[in-house]
Amino acid sequence: MTRPQRTVLNNLSSYAFLLPWLIGFFTLTVYPMIYSLYLSFTHYAIIAPPRFIGWSNYKVMFTSDDRFMNSLFVTLRFVFVSVPLKLIFALIVAMIMNRKLALIGFYRAIYYIPTLLGGSVAISVLWRRLFAFDGIVNIILRNIGWANPPSWISNPKYALSTLIILAVWQFGSPMIIFLAGLQNIPREYYEASSIDGANKVRQFFAITLPGLSPIILFNFIMQMTSSFQAFTQAFIISGGNGGPLDSTMFYSLYLYLKGWGFSEMGYASAMAWVLLLIIGSLTAIAFKISGGLVSYGGGE
Amino acid sequence: MKKQTKTLLSSLAMNAIIIIIGFAMLYPVLWLFSASFKVPNTIFTDASLIPKAFTLNNYVKGWRGIGIYGFGTFFANSFAISLLSVVANVIFCSITAYAFARLEFVGKRFWFGIMLVTMMLPSHVTTIPRYVLFNRFGWINTFLPFIVPKALATDAFFIFLLVQFIRGLPRELDESAVIDGCNKWTIYLKILMPLTVPALITTVLFTFLWTWDDFFNQLLYLTRPELFTVPMGLRLFLDSSGVSSWGSLFAMSTLSLIPCFILFFSLQKYFVRGIATTGIKG
Amino acid sequence: MKKITMMLVILLAVTTLVFAAGAKEAQKSDTVTLRWAYWGGEARIERSEAAIKIFEAQNPGVKVHQEPSGGAGDHFVKVDTQVAAGAGPDVINMGGNYPDYIPGGPKGHLTLDLFPYAEQGLINLDVIDPGAIAYATVDGALYGLSTGANMPALVINKSLIERVGAPLPPVTSSYAEFRQYLIDLQRRLPSGVYAMQDIGVLASNSTPFGYWTGYNGTPLYIAAEKATKVTAADAKRYLDLFADYRSLGVIPPADIAASYAETNADTSMLVAGKAAIGFLWTNQVDGYQQAMVDEIDLIEFPGAAERNALWQTQSQVYTINKDSPNKEWAAKFVDFLVNSPDAAAVLGTDRGNSVSSIARAVGVSNPNEQKGLDYMAVAGPHTMPENDHVPNDTEFNSTLFLIYQRVAFGQISTAQGGQEIVDLLNRMIEK
């Protein structure tokens, strides 16, 4: 059969299907993006009109704003610790569950529940109380013999770790995706290699990992992108101040604070663009390293 | 005999491990659930999962909400927004995905790449300009600011997911449909969509969950208490000047999780199938 | 397929409901609608609704829609965004940050001058305490009407102190006496309970610091001169004061202090029973007492009497949006909230003690509120006129908090902290 002709009529009718997305893209994405790019070169206190100040915002960000650099490092730490941990747990648990288990549906649901609660206010509030000085975690720790556990949530050394734990706790999503991916690897490969004398470890590295590699990439990029934009948990757990000592001041939180709290919307817009560039670059690097395993075009 | 016992034991052990880890994972949720039944000033002192001082009052009091509007109203609003968003996303993301996955047109690669890039945009960037726009249309205090973006397919994540899924369906289906006299629209509706149900169900679940929890946008666009949603109602319990109502907060939080649970449990099996056949393995 | 059909049916039902609700809104063309934005929780929302109902009953044809937010943070985010889009509310509550919204203020001009409305007779200023009017008057224009007066105070857990057999602190004391009292009290307290909370770890951090600088005669900010009188040495002495308390063990170490955000009664160390003395505004007494079984009472900051270092301020102000389409009705509503005895009866001292003599005649409804009044009676004479607020209030508080934490956690020295505070003050003033 012949491929559809690239006629004008054909193009137009195809574009008809694309119309909603195009309208949305131009009005709700492009226009705000361009407007925010413009704002990034201004001082905009929200109520008074924007005032053009050139590259000033960007300059300040990288040369004199310690809190900005701090928020960048905090976020990078968060992303590059929580994402790998999340994926590792997801993979391990997926492998454990990749058997003919009677209650597989039930188990899957249990492990997915934390993710369901994800952005909810209640869980963040709960987490804060759980890890407080007199919180449940410490009560348990004291009961098993640790006399003086620190106040996790209010100690600058540990506060970020509680947020990392919260993120890793929600490994349900990538786990389910891994599980599906594992179930797609033909059993015959394992059986054949068993016969050839390969042990479980060898099988893992020779069959499982390569078979899963496109999914690992997909999960990694999806998780990385959303982790960079993490906001709600840090906002509620730190009470909105990114404390203690700015140790939980995520990039998005600082952006929010600068924009609405300190009325520097121009600066916040500049921050947003910098973030976009960072995420974009890291994603491009990830694709390059993985040798372009996922094809971009929608065409065949 | 021995081999059978060994397999049985190892299977039991496996199940046991999964359950133990599962329990640890669920502990915070169980705690939340049990806290909702505890007398408020024992919530943070009573560490056990079984309430020492049991009460149903948190639910009664919490349901009343802020007095003038209760959680009945908040739930209704949340449901309305979430369900309408689901419909909008399912319809319009799938149409767009169909275009990218199956149709030929000039600039397809370019637009597809652009679409992927929009996924990486921090949402705070577009907040004020969108607010200005929606305000000019007079859409403040309506549900339109939530639904129209969905209807204009701005959720690139779902477009991507659906594209991957449709690509996994053989082109022969399309081609035989053309022979039978179908046009683009009929192919989309009658042939491809029924086979895409698993991925559509995934879209339904995630759209519902993410809209249900979208506190920030709801804060900005819904200023009248009669339009408040569940997350906003929960926030009101965390009063900054007086006493927070922890009991009510946890009780209503538990309730707010129930629709999400129900939706997930009933859609589970489609969901895994959906991810498995998106052809992500490349 | 069946499932999808069912879902679509549900959807249809919901959609009809939604549009029906929308239709109901539409038929209000001849009524005047006012939008009132403020922050607060359950209790305050109920009180405000009661006041609204009274106003609507007295003024048929006028509808007031309240737009509460959980906290001041959410409130200003929402209001700022709305105003930027030209859709701001008519009546807006503000706190000590109202100068950010006056002509020439860092955020832009939002607040309406109320004097012309008083001259038209829409607002009765004659019965309002002059101090309350002066508070919100800048360059001859009145930008807000006080919701009520309050004063900063130290709050004590009376029952706790009596339980450990210690004497109650004197209402009035000097810094030396106060320090000694803390030491003596700490000796009797069980481990894990501290004599005083670390006052630097507060959301409204600048208040204790403002008290200290006022006490020293070096005010934080003088609007007329657009300058601060605080030097790095002054700021250092403030940080040293608390470092001293910390080394004596009368206030908690930094990480324990940090776990109490002190934004409201349940992030309060005092309410949790872990501190005997804390900081409170008089209008918060009722809320805090209701959260505690132990009895609380108010005492003055040390040194208040000797230098009249305390001040009376206004808890919040009602402002009117200068672009409101219903300015006259907004003015009448604000006048109602402040001056009407009916309104005062339902609003109580939740937003401060009434500054209107005719509203005050109603009296207070509960003994907790009475405590606030008693305190103000004693501490009233020990006051000076309030100092100007540092501009860019939010950022000032947020950064001061950070500096204070750095010193408390030992990251920087008090000398360095002092210098950073002064730099911060100057930066906020320049902005």
Side-chain angles (χ1 to χ4, degrees):
Chain A
M1 282 265 66
T2 54
R3 300 188 85 201
Q5 304 289 341
R6 283 181 187 264
T7 60
V8 173
L9 195 60
N10 203 36
N11 270 297
L12 276 179
S13 61
S14 301
Y15 267 100
F17 279 88
L18 216 49
L19 203 58
W21 180 78
L22 279 173
I23 297 178
F25 177 69
F26 280 107
T27 56
L28 297 176
T29 307
V30 172
Y31 159 66
M33 273 179 76
I34 296 183
Y35 186 59
S36 78
L37 184 61
Y38 158 67
L39 283 181
S40 74
F41 294 105
T42 68
H43 172 76
Y44 182 42
I46 306 189
I47 297 183
R51 192 173 29 104
F52 188 75
I53 54 173
W55 289 97
S56 179
N57 286 329
Y58 293 97
K59 252 192 274 182
V60 168
M61 253 198 273
F62 288 103
T63 56
S64 55
D65 192 349
D66 291 338
R67 288 183 98 174
F68 169 78
M69 294 311 291
N70 173 65
S71 77
L72 197 54
F73 287 136
V74 166
T75 310
L76 285 171
R77 251 182 77 197
F78 175 73
V79 171
F80 288 110
V81 173
S82 72
V83 171
L85 274 181
K86 216 171 169 177
L87 294 183
I88 291 175
F89 271 103
L91 187 55
I92 293 179
V93 176
M95 292 203 317
I96 292 180
M97 285 216 241
N98 187 24
R99 308 153 179 262
K100 280 204 161 42
L101 292 169
L103 299 169
I104 181 83
F106 177 65
Y107 292 146
R108 223 168 28 219
I110 291 185
Y111 280 80
Y112 196 72
I113 285 177
T115 315
L116 272 184
L117 311 181
S120 91
V121 171
I123 282 295
S124 299
V125 166
L126 187 70
W127 213 255
R128 192 191 156 85
R129 293 305 319 208
L130 284 181
F131 284 93
F133 181 65
D134 52 352
I136 303 301
V137 168
N138 277 0
I139 291 182
I140 295 180
L141 287 176
R142 282 193 200 109
N143 276 338
I144 60 173
W146 186 346
N148 237 345
S151 170
W152 306 102
I153 209 92
S154 60
N155 190 315
K157 273 194 287 195
Y158 305 118
L160 185 60
S161 306
T162 63
L163 286 174
I164 291 178
I165 296 178
L166 178 60
V168 174
W169 181 60
Q170 295 172 4
F171 66 73
S173 281
M175 178 199 80
I176 289 198
I177 296 181
F178 276 141
L179 197 57
L182 283 172
Q183 290 177 351
N184 262 345
I185 300 179
R187 282 203 175 277
E188 295 85 56
Y189 290 5
Y190 291 104
E191 285 161 11
S193 70
S194 254
I195 295 176
D196 286 347
N199 62 12
K200 287 233 152 52
V201 176
R202 198 126 162 71
Q203 280 179 334
F204 176 74
F205 283 103
I207 303 174
T208 317
L209 270 190
L212 274 184
S213 56
I215 300 190
I216 297 179
L217 180 68
F218 175 75
N219 268 339
F220 179 74
I221 292 183
M222 291 282 114
Q223 292 299 322
M224 181 186 73
T225 309
S226 64
S227 296
F228 263 110
Q229 302 179 40
F231 173 80
T232 311
Q233 289 87 337
F235 182 62
I236 297 194
I237 290 183
S238 72
N241 61 34
L245 278 187
D246 273 9
S247 60
T248 60
M249 181 68 86
F250 283 5
Y251 196 92
S252 276
L253 187 56
Y254 190 55
L255 194 158
Y256 171 83
L257 197 62
K258 268 293 192 178
W260 274 277
F262 303 170
S263 292
E264 285 179 55
M265 243 340 163
Y267 193 85
S269 303
M271 280 184 71
W273 275 87
V274 169
L275 186 65
L276 177 62
L277 288 174
I278 293 179
I279 297 181
S281 320
L282 287 174
T283 307
I285 293 178
F287 270 117
K288 264 266 143 51
I289 292 182
S290 68
L293 277 165
V294 178
S295 64
Y296 248 119
E300 295 306 301
Chain B
M1 229 341 118
K2 254 199 185 147
K3 193 153 183 220
Q4 259 185 347
T5 334
K6 214 170 163 202
T7 337
L8 186 63
L9 276 175
S10 106
S11 148
L12 274 175
M14 219 16 85
N15 277 288
I17 294 181
I18 294 183
I19 291 182
I20 291 177
I21 302 182
F23 181 74
M25 291 270 290
L26 279 189
Y27 186 78
V29 184
L30 293 173
W31 198 90
L32 174 69
F33 185 64
S34 96
S36 70
F37 291 108
K38 291 182 183 158
V39 172
N41 51 18
T42 63
I43 288 182
F44 296 115
T45 48
D46 177 7
S48 76
L49 283 183
I50 319 282
K52 294 200 182 88
F54 183 90
T55 176
L56 286 175
N57 195 35
N58 292 334
Y59 284 90
V60 173
K61 192 157 175 287
W63 188 257
R64 276 181 51 239
I66 51 175
I68 46 179
Y69 294 103
F71 269 83
T73 315
F74 300 156
F75 271 102
N77 290 325
S78 273
F79 270 117
I81 296 181
S82 302
L83 291 177
L84 290 171
S85 297
V86 163
V87 170
N89 250 2
V90 165
I91 297 177
F92 292 99
C93 285
S94 62
I95 291 181
T96 312
Y98 173 62
F100 278 121
R102 281 301 206 240
L103 303 179
E104 292 296 335
F105 49 91
V106 165
K108 181 152 93 165
R109 280 215 126 113
F110 170 70
W111 288 124
F112 191 77
I114 296 269
M115 184 206 71
L116 286 179
V117 170
T118 62
M119 275 199 286
M120 303 176 208
L121 198 63
S123 57
H124 287 299
V125 187
T126 52
T127 303
I128 287 198
R130 279 197 192 185
Y131 194 88
V132 171
L133 203 63
F134 291 145
N135 177 57
R136 212 167 286 165
F137 296 154
W139 291 354
I140 306 298
N141 277 320
T142 66
F143 293 152
L144 291 166
F146 306 105
I147 300 167
V148 171
K150 304 274 189 284
L152 294 179
T154 49
D155 274 347
F157 177 82
F158 299 115
I159 302 180
F160 188 37
L161 184 71
L162 288 163
V163 163
Q164 296 296 84
F165 196 96
I166 296 178
R167 279 183 54 202
L169 299 174
R171 268 192 180 269
E172 291 79 54
L173 289 169
D174 292 40
E175 290 161 3
S176 43
V178 169
I179 297 178
D180 288 344
C182 291
N183 61 14
K184 293 196 178 65
W185 175 256
T186 351
I187 296 181
Y188 159 76
L189 196 60
K190 297 254 164 67
I191 313 284
L192 291 177
M193 283 302 102
L195 294 173
T196 326
V197 165
L200 290 176
I201 299 284
T202 310
T203 306
V204 167
L205 179 68
F206 279 136
T207 305
F208 184 86
L209 290 177
W210 294 349
T211 313
W212 189 261
D213 282 335
D214 178 17
F215 167 71
F216 190 66
N217 282 316
Q218 290 162 9
L219 171 75
L220 287 180
Y221 291 110
L222 301 174
T223 60
R224 304 252 178 88
E226 63 259 30
L227 292 175
F228 280 2
T229 55
V230 171
M232 295 173 76
L234 292 177
R235 262 310 256 170
L236 285 174
F237 283 136
L238 296 172
D239 180 10
S240 73
S241 57
V243 190
S244 294
S245 316
W246 293 112
S248 306
L249 175 69
F250 288 138
M252 291 302 105
S253 301
T254 308
L255 279 188
S256 86
L257 297 175
I258 291 180
C260 306
F261 283 172
I262 295 180
L263 196 65
F264 177 73
F265 275 93
S266 56
L267 295 180
Q268 253 214 87
K269 52 183 177 358
Y270 295 113
F271 174 49
V272 174
R273 237 198 292 152
I275 302 288
T277 12
T278 56
I280 299 176
K281 50 193 204 60
Chain C
M1 255 356 237
K2 227 176 170 180
K3 210 172 216 162
I4 298 182
T5 331
M6 196 178 68
M7 281 179 85
L8 281 172
V9 168
I10 297 177
L11 238 88
L12 205 59
V14 170
T15 324
T16 353
L17 273 171
V18 165
F19 281 119
K24 217 168 26 154
E25 287 281 8
Q27 35 89 327
K28 44 113 203 134
S29 45
D30 52 345
T31 53
V32 172
T33 318
L34 288 179
R35 289 168 52 202
W36 174 27
Y38 65 89
W39 66 91
E42 230 173 298
R44 183 173 290 173
I45 295 178
E46 283 179 4
R47 288 180 191 258
S48 307
E49 180 68 11
I52 289 179
K53 285 279 168 289
I54 298 176
F55 183 74
E56 287 178 345
Q58 291 176 353
N59 296 281
V62 180
K63 280 245 157 292
V64 180
H65 287 281
Q66 55 165 318
E67 302 182 359
S69 300
D74 287 353
H75 168 80
F76 284 108
V77 166
K78 202 173 59 172
V79 167
D80 285 351
T81 311
Q82 291 176 332
V83 172
D90 301 291
V91 177
I92 306 170
N93 277 43
M94 295 194 190
N97 64 339
Y98 83 86
D100 288 349
Y101 295 93
I102 62 178
K107 287 209 183 183
H109 179 205
L110 174 60
T111 53
L112 184 68
D113 177 12
L114 300 177
F115 278 134
Y117 294 86
E119 279 153 36
Q120 287 178 41
L122 293 169
I123 303 180
N124 183 356
L125 291 180
D126 300 332
V127 294
I128 310 264
D129 297 343
I133 300 182
Y135 173 79
T137 307
V138 180
D139 288 338
L142 177 65
Y143 290 112
L145 204 49
S146 163
T147 63
N150 62 3
M151 288 180 68
L154 292 182
V155 57
I156 63 171
N157 185 339
K158 217 165 155 208
S159 314
L160 171 64
I161 297 177
E162 285 167 357
R163 262 204 308 273
V164 298
L168 291 178
V171 177
T172 308
S173 62
S174 71
Y175 266 102
E177 291 166 358
F178 187 70
R179 184 174 180 275
Q180 190 54 48
Y181 178 81
L182 287 176
I183 296 175
D184 294 337
L185 178 60
Q186 187 65 50
R187 255 185 244 131
R188 300 186 198 240
L189 289 172
S191 129
V193 181
Y194 294 88
M196 190 170 73
Q197 73 188 177
D198 190 345
I199 294 186
V201 187
L202 302 174
S204 55
N205 204 319
S206 56
T207 306
F209 184 54
Y211 173 80
W212 168 261
T213 53
Y215 172 81
N216 277 328
T218 56
L220 276 180
Y221 180 56
I222 300 187
E225 297 174 32
K226 271 197 176 301
T228 175
K229 291 277 182 235
V230 179
T231 65
D234 297 331
K236 173 176 186 298
R237 282 212 315 275
Y238 176 76
L239 296 169
D240 283 337
L241 179 69
F242 284 93
D244 174 46
Y245 289 151
R246 214 171 289 122
S247 67
L248 289 171
V250 299
I251 66 175
D255 60 345
I256 296 188
S259 55
Y260 294 97
E262 303 291 345
T263 47
N264 64 3
D266 34 59
T267 48
S268 156
M269 219 181 157
L270 181 92
V271 172
K274 302 286 191 217
I277 303 179
F279 165 75
L280 206 62
W281 287 94
T282 50
N283 69 313
Q284 293 178 296
V285 178
D286 192 29
Y288 274 62
Q289 180 65 82
Q290 290 197 20
M292 296 176 70
V293 177
D294 286 349
E295 191 192 344
I296 58 178
D297 210 342
L298 301 172
I299 62 172
E300 290 180 356
F301 273 72
E306 51 180 277
R307 299 198 196 166
N308 285 346
L310 279 175
W311 66 91
Q312 185 164 301
T313 185
Q314 312 307 317
S315 168
Q316 294 177 27
V317 287
Y318 296 112
T319 69
I320 298 182
N321 184 341
K322 75 177 201 321
D323 295 321
S324 159
N326 290 305
K327 299 201 235 316
E328 275 105 17
W329 274 110
K332 283 195 213 166
F333 182 60
V334 168
D335 178 69
F336 165 79
L337 288 173
V338 175
N339 283 322
S340 156
D342 300 320
V346 296
L347 290 175
T349 59
D350 176 54
R351 291 191 183 96
N353 296 319
S354 176
V355 293
S356 155
S357 54
I358 47 181
R360 262 204 298 268
V362 167
V364 288
S365 51
N366 77 36
N368 298 327
E369 298 183 352
Q370 188 60 41
K371 279 194 187 141
L373 283 179
D374 292 340
Y375 170 78
M376 286 175 74
V378 168
H382 303 152
T383 56
M384 56 161 97
E386 188 186 1
N387 283 318
D388 299 319
H389 285 251
V390 177
N392 294 297
D393 192 63
T394 316
E395 193 177 348
F396 177 60
N397 270 302
S398 161
T399 322
L400 183 64
F401 178 64
L402 183 63
I403 297 173
Y404 190 86
Q405 276 201 318
R406 287 211 184 118
V407 172
F409 275 103
Q411 256 192 19
I412 59 179
S413 70
T414 54
Q416 217 179 320
Q419 185 59 51
E420 287 192 13
I421 292 180
V422 172
D423 292 339
L424 172 65
L425 276 168
N426 286 321
R427 242 187 11 250
M428 295 299 101
I429 294 173
E430 311 282 291
K431 245 178 112 161

